[in-house]
Amino acid sequence: MNHDNPGRTASRELNLKLVDKLSQCLDLTAYPPVKLGVGTRLSYSGDTVTRIPLLVSGAADASMHQMTDGGTQVLLVSWGAGEIMLLSYLFTREALTADIEVTENTVYRWLPIEVVEECLLGNQELLVLLVRFLALRLREVQARERSWLERGVHERVCATLARIVKAMPRRSEGGVMLAATHESLAARCGVSRLRLSKELKELEDAGLVRLGRGTIEITDTAWFDAVR
């Protein structure tokens, strides 16, 4: 399994350790691989969680929507190759509160939640790793939420595009082609469609992107690579 992930956080490191430890008591390869392309949904908000995905390769985001005085706020949690997703749903039978979207061509395996829970209950080290992971992920999400609330529309749009640029493969001419509607991208940025369109037009005027019918081409990837 490929564990290369240049954007690892502390919680991601723990997630990878948990997967390695879990593989010692559970044959992960016994569950067939499933492929999904960029932009498709792996799970939908409202789905009951009876199994959790292990990403063999690729990446995915969870978009969680909350209503605020300023409109729709979108908090993103992301996963990379080698990680198990939706670990916070272990030992619960709650419905998903987020859409899970594939952001890179992805291969994953569905793991039955009961089987994973059985392994955790039978291994104290695994259980401690899970608790440590959940605590770290919570702090990271809270920090991301505070940072996101402090950003203006321009910063939100640029930060979201920068995340996409970092996640997607470069074309032979060096750019990145994003197939997305303004509506779906606006939701990811936590801004209105009208505000997004205005920002994208300004980015196009600056020579950073090229807008097409249903596509956005990132022409200056170096500029977005520098966005934090």
Side-chain angles (χ1 to χ4, degrees), residues 56-67:
V56 178
S57 63
D61 282 345
S63 301
M64 296 174 284
H65 302 261
Q66 297 179 352
M67 294 308 298

Side-chain angles (χ1 to χ4, degrees), residues 37-57:
V38 174
T40 56
R41 290 288 193 274
L42 192 151
S43 296
Y44 289 86
S45 179
D47 288 350
T48 301
V49 181
T50 60
R51 50 189 187 165
I52 54 179
L54 166 64
L55 288 186
V56 178
S57 63

Side-chain angles (χ1 to χ4, degrees), residues 59-121:
D61 282 345
S63 301
M64 296 174 284
H65 302 261
Q66 297 179 352
M67 294 308 298
T68 66
D69 292 339
T72 301
Q73 174 191 350
V74 180
L75 309 179
L76 292 177
V77 178
S78 61
W79 296 271
E83 294 184 79
I84 294 182
M85 302 167 62
L86 306 179
L87 285 170
S88 62
Y89 286 86
L90 288 168
F91 303 107
T92 72
R93 293 300 179 267
E94 297 179 0
L96 277 175
T97 57
D99 290 340
I100 311 300
E101 181 178 347
V102 171
T103 55
E104 293 180 23
N105 290 333
T106 293
V107 177
Y108 66 96
R109 302 178 189 274
W110 283 115
L111 307 181
I113 199 167
E114 295 90 348
V115 174
V116 176
E117 288 171 348
E118 184 179 351
C119 287
L120 288 164
L121 290 174

